[in-house]
């Protein structure tokens, strides 16, 4: 999954097909993903966190994990922005993880958790509007094109995706061709996870 993230939709659908025939397999895999996500958070491996959350989204698409479990993860991550004295780097990182999953799972959430998706997008929008953009103004004189913030650009694309019903040729959706088979499987609950607190040694990657 980490080496070939473009194949995450394929992996998610494959797990869904296996889960439809073997409940215990699906249960064990979801538990392993939970353990890996918690470990990645504790160790500050945010690229892995991003890809694991995207994979959980694909498990929602494939009827392995219930959409409420993913909404709970998104709520937990976005709750970070309400921490007292939060650094922008920390807030950006957790918001980015949620944003980067939406192109893959937004369609399913819009159909099965429409109100929750709308609420989450309002939270993201409010956060982005209050961010400090001073560094963009600082680099503007040194670049030819108009300086723009990466998260702002990404958010514009996500909002456009929403307006177009989350339809895009750049996102693989193999599960849509196999929904009758996938729907035979049972969903698994995703246990709660804990966000480690910010410390002086915490570091956060630039969203990319």
């Amino acid at each position: 999954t980490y080496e070939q993230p473009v194949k995450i939709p394929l992996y998610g659908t494959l797990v869904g097909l296996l889960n439809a025939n073997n409940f215990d397999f699906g249960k064990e895999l979801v538990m392993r993903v939970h353990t890996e996500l918690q470990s990645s958070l504790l160790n500050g491996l945010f690229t892995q966190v991003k890809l694991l959350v995207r994979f959980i989204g694909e498990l929602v698409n494939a009827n392995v994990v219930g959409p409420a479990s993913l909404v709970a993860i998104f709520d937990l991550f976005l709750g970070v922005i309400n921490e007292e004295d939060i650094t922008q780097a920390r807030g950006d990182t957790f918001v980015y993880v949620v944003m980067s999953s939406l192109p893959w799972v937004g369609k399913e959430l819009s159909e099965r958790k429409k109100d929750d998706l709308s609420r989450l997008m309002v939270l993201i929008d409010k956060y982005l509007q209050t961010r400090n953009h001073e560094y963009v103004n600082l680099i503007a004189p040194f670049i030819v094109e108009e300086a723009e913030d990466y998260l702002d650009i990404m958010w514009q694309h996500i909002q456009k995706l929403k307006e177009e019903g989350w339809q895009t040729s750049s996102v693989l959706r193999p599960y849509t061709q196999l929904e009758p088979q996938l729907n035979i499987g049972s969903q698994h609950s995703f246990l709660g996870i804990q966000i480690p607190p910010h410390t002086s040694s915490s570091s956060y990657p630039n969203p990319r």
Side-chain angles (χ1 to χ4, degrees), residues 63-78:
N63 197 45
V64 178
V65 172
S69 293
L70 182 61
V71 169
I73 293 172
F74 285 170
D75 273 324
L76 185 66
F77 279 34
L78 293 180

Side-chain angles (χ1 to χ4, degrees), residues 24-39:
D24 289 336
F25 169 83
K27 179 180 179 181
E28 182 176 346
L29 184 134
V30 169
M31 291 177 63
R32 288 181 61 185
V33 172
H34 173 273
T35 300
E36 188 73 13
L37 177 59
Q38 186 64 77
S39 175

Side-chain angles (χ1 to χ4, degrees), residues 50 53 73-78 92-103 105 120-121 124 154 158:
K50 177 185 71 173
V53 172
I73 293 172
F74 285 170
D75 273 324
L76 185 66
F77 279 34
L78 293 180
D92 284 1
T93 295
F94 283 95
V95 170
Y96 170 63
V97 169
V98 176
M99 288 172 58
S100 65
S101 298
L102 290 178
V105 76
L120 292 168
M121 292 189 70
I124 294 171
M154 185 179 182
I158 290 174

Side-chain angles (χ1 to χ4, degrees), residues 120-131:
L120 292 168
M121 292 189 70
V122 168
L123 290 175
I124 294 171
D125 191 63
K126 286 183 177 179
Y127 172 76
L128 294 178
Q129 290 184 31
T130 59
R131 289 171 68 244

